[in-house]
Amino acid sequence: MDCFRTTLLNKTPQADYESQRHLRWWILIRVILFTLLFALTTFFREQGHPLILPAASVTLLFLLGLYSFSILSVLLLNRRLCSIHQYGAIQLCFDVFFIALLVYATGCSDSDFSALLILPVIAAGLLLSRLGGLFIAAVTTFSYAAILILEQLRWIPVYFSATPYTPPTSFLASSNLFAIYGLLFFLAALLSGQLAGRLRITEKRLAHTAIEFDRLSILYKQIFDDISTGIITTDQYDFITSFNQAAERITGFSRSTALGKPFSQLLPNISLQEEQGRNVCDFQKQHGEAIRIGYSFSFLNMPVQKESEEKQPLRWKVITLQDISQIERMEKQVREAEKMAAIGELSASVAHDFRNPLAAISGSAQILATEKDDLSRLDAGTFKTLIGIILKESGRMAKTITDFLQFARPATIQAEWFDFNRMVDEVLMRRRTATFALMTGTVIKEVDGRLDCWGDRQQIQTVLNQLLDNACQAAGPQQGKVVLAACERVKDNQAEVQIEIRDQGPGIPDEQREKVFIPFFSSRTDGTGLGLAIVQQIIAAHGGRVEIDANAEFACVIRLLLPLPPPTP
């Protein structure tokens, strides 16, 4: 009994509340059940059916006692004189007593109500767990044994003689009946206790899941309301289903105004017909303020009820909004600052590049000015050298200015189809003129006989000139060959022209391959650092890319990949 009491006391307040509620229901069921039983038996007796029942006055007295006890039980239940499970055990013991009294008064072993003894056992297994059910099963078994013993001793009511009562034929028959009912009581206690145990485990897990769900719901709501990004969801019919505080602040619409409205009607500037991704639009808030909104949307995997007329499934959407007006203003300021910094750096680079050529030109001019009265004193070699210095440095200054303008103010792409082979011939022919005599190296052409290229012919020429200048400078006179190769290839279903400038110079170190495209970065003392920057700028404008590579024969390979448009049908 102590172990049973310990088990009963080891309950949570929530379990006590549930047990108290179940006990109230059980008391109500007790009253209804006994009332119906006596009403039905009385009705059948009046119809002439042979039943074993006490006198009507005794039945009425029994019912009054039962009602009084039930009312008193409910009143004492609220007083909490003992633990709720101890109180439940007491109530079920009294139920066993009332049912046993009913069985004794209606025929003992021949009673039609003997099966009712199993009800308190089942109720105990559900309300008091397995141990409580076994306890009530034992009480019920002893009570039924007492009824059978009284019957064997012939201590039975006198009115049995006037009823179709059949006494037991032998003690063995009573023992057999006791064994069957006793086994039935304990089996019911075990099964109901097992069911109640599983039910309690399920309730505990369900309660834990509900708590976690509530916690996650609160966390989700807190994040949804406090996040700085506006979040809007729409159902399959484009009606707004949620609208967080950031969306209210960005759009100027209140949540009560937005919920239930068609998204396209409330926010017509935001188009959700485009592909998923980041988009930007101008937006006028409800109070008239004009802002820039960055938005994106994606589909939610929510169940839908029907498809559109085009047989496309209608889907839920989640839209995210951000006011990017301040960000764009800051980006513009950063770009302006970067532009001014680039202009400053470019000006410093140009000034530095002009200083040396101007010094050389000035020195040569001063010598010529000194001998202007009698130029015959200058030998032809010296005169030619001075004129060559002036021409070379003037060309260098002109190239610096050209690179500066090309990088600072790139021309618009005028794309067309042209014969790449013929253009290469023109570039190489021009390089053989006297102007480029000092920096022209041996260039080997490896171009397909018929190669059509798509792009701006003039700008592609500029790219080839820049790369050939670098390659010839790197190879140096009589130190190696320079190869210009080109062919058409197809990669990932995209046709493109591949152009390679290869040289046998010292190559570009791995740590400098990312830096060579940065404006003003140069490893040569006479370089402007704009050549490869201009190359990358032009190729990127054509939608292509520049790669730097090397192999066993050539220390440096500059590879240009220019995409070709798909053929027209």
Side-chain angles (χ1 to χ4, degrees), residues 172-448:
L172 183 62
S174 298
S175 300
N176 184 45
L177 194 62
F178 168 76
I180 293 174
Y181 273 95
L183 180 62
L184 181 64
F185 295 151
F186 279 97
L187 285 177
L190 290 173
L191 292 177
S192 60
Q194 183 73 14
L195 178 62
R198 293 186 177 182
L199 181 61
R200 289 187 182 90
I201 293 174
T202 304
E203 288 178 346
K204 184 181 296 184
R205 292 178 178 175
L206 182 61
H208 178 73
T209 303
I211 292 173
E212 289 296 319
F213 177 78
D214 291 340
R215 185 180 65 83
L216 290 176
S217 297
I218 294 173
L219 179 62
Y220 159 76
K221 187 178 184 304
Q222 196 69 29
I223 294 174
F224 185 76
D225 288 337
D226 294 346
I227 194 171
S228 60
T229 300
I231 301 177
I232 305 172
T233 59
T234 63
D235 62 10
Q236 58 181 331
Y237 303 109
D238 198 40
F239 289 96
I240 296 175
T241 57
S242 63
F243 203 82
N244 70 345
Q245 294 179 1
E248 290 182 322
R249 183 179 64 256
I250 293 171
T251 63
F253 293 102
S254 64
R255 183 179 303 179
S256 58
T257 303
L259 292 179
K261 293 289 183 64
F263 182 87
S264 57
Q265 177 182 336
L266 186 71
L267 304 170
N269 299 61
I270 301 177
S271 174
L272 303 184
Q273 304 304 321
E274 304 172 5
E275 296 183 357
Q276 301 181 60
R278 193 69 184 172
N279 302 285
V280 179
C281 71
D282 295 319
F283 182 80
Q284 188 171 6
K285 299 175 69 171
Q286 187 181 21
H287 303 297
E289 181 185 354
I291 61 173
R292 291 276 289 172
I293 283 184
Y295 68 94
S296 63
F297 78 96
S298 58
F299 295 109
L300 294 175
N301 294 324
M302 300 289 288
V304 296
Q305 299 179 357
K306 69 174 186 177
E307 295 181 346
S308 64
E309 296 180 357
E310 294 80 10
K311 303 301 182 181
Q312 295 294 328
L314 301 172
R315 303 176 68 181
W316 292 56
K317 301 183 188 72
V318 55
I319 303 99
T320 58
L321 308 175
Q322 278 191 332
D323 182 357
I324 61 173
S325 303
Q326 183 65 23
I327 296 176
E328 287 192 341
R329 285 193 293 268
M330 294 175 62
E331 288 178 348
K332 185 177 180 181
Q333 293 175 359
V334 170
R335 286 195 297 270
E336 291 294 331
E338 290 177 348
K339 182 177 179 181
M340 295 303 295
I343 291 175
E345 187 174 356
L346 185 58
S347 301
S349 178
V350 170
H352 178 270
D353 288 339
F354 275 21
R355 184 182 297 118
N356 293 334
L358 284 175
I361 292 173
S362 177
S364 299
Q366 287 177 8
I367 294 173
L368 292 175
T370 302
E371 303 296 338
K372 65 180 179 177
D373 295 330
D374 189 3
L375 294 179
S376 61
R377 291 189 300 177
L378 292 176
D379 59 274
T382 303
F383 183 81
K384 184 177 180 181
T385 301
L386 293 175
I387 295 300
I389 292 173
I390 293 175
L391 292 176
K392 178 183 175 182
E393 297 303 330
S394 298
R396 180 180 170 186
M397 292 175 65
K399 185 177 184 302
T400 302
I401 295 174
T402 301
D403 290 348
F404 171 77
L405 295 176
Q406 178 70 36
F407 178 75
R409 192 172 57 192
T412 306
I413 300 296
Q414 302 292 334
E416 61 178 348
W417 287 102
F418 61 90
D419 188 342
F420 184 80
N421 205 330
R422 180 180 298 176
M423 187 201 69
V424 172
D425 290 338
E426 294 175 1
V427 170
L428 295 180
M429 181 64 69
R430 193 173 303 168
R431 292 185 59 83
R432 295 190 187 101
T433 62
T435 306
F436 296 94
L438 295 177
M439 53 182 170
T440 299
T442 303
V443 179
I444 301 173
K445 185 180 78 167
E446 296 180 0
V447 182
D448 293 347

Side-chain angles (χ1 to χ4, degrees), residues 1-11 23 82-93 120-121 123-139 189 193 200:
M1 186 65 183
D2 292 338
C3 180
F4 172 61
R5 184 180 294 108
T6 303
T7 304
L8 293 181
L9 291 175
N10 188 22
K11 304 292 181 180
L23 277 176
C82 58
S83 72
I84 187 64
H85 294 87
Q86 289 177 341
Y87 189 81
I90 294 172
Q91 285 293 314
L92 291 172
C93 287
V121 177
L126 295 175
L127 298 176
L128 307 179
S129 73
R130 184 184 303 175
L131 189 59
L134 292 174
F135 173 73
I136 298 300
V139 172
R200 289 187 182 90

Side-chain angles (χ1 to χ4, degrees), residues 417 454 564-569:
W417 287 102
W454 174 263
L564 297 177
T568 56

Side-chain angles (χ1 to χ4, degrees), residues 135-148:
F135 173 73
I136 298 300
V139 172
T140 305
T141 303
F142 289 139
S143 299
Y144 191 67
I147 294 173
L148 296 178

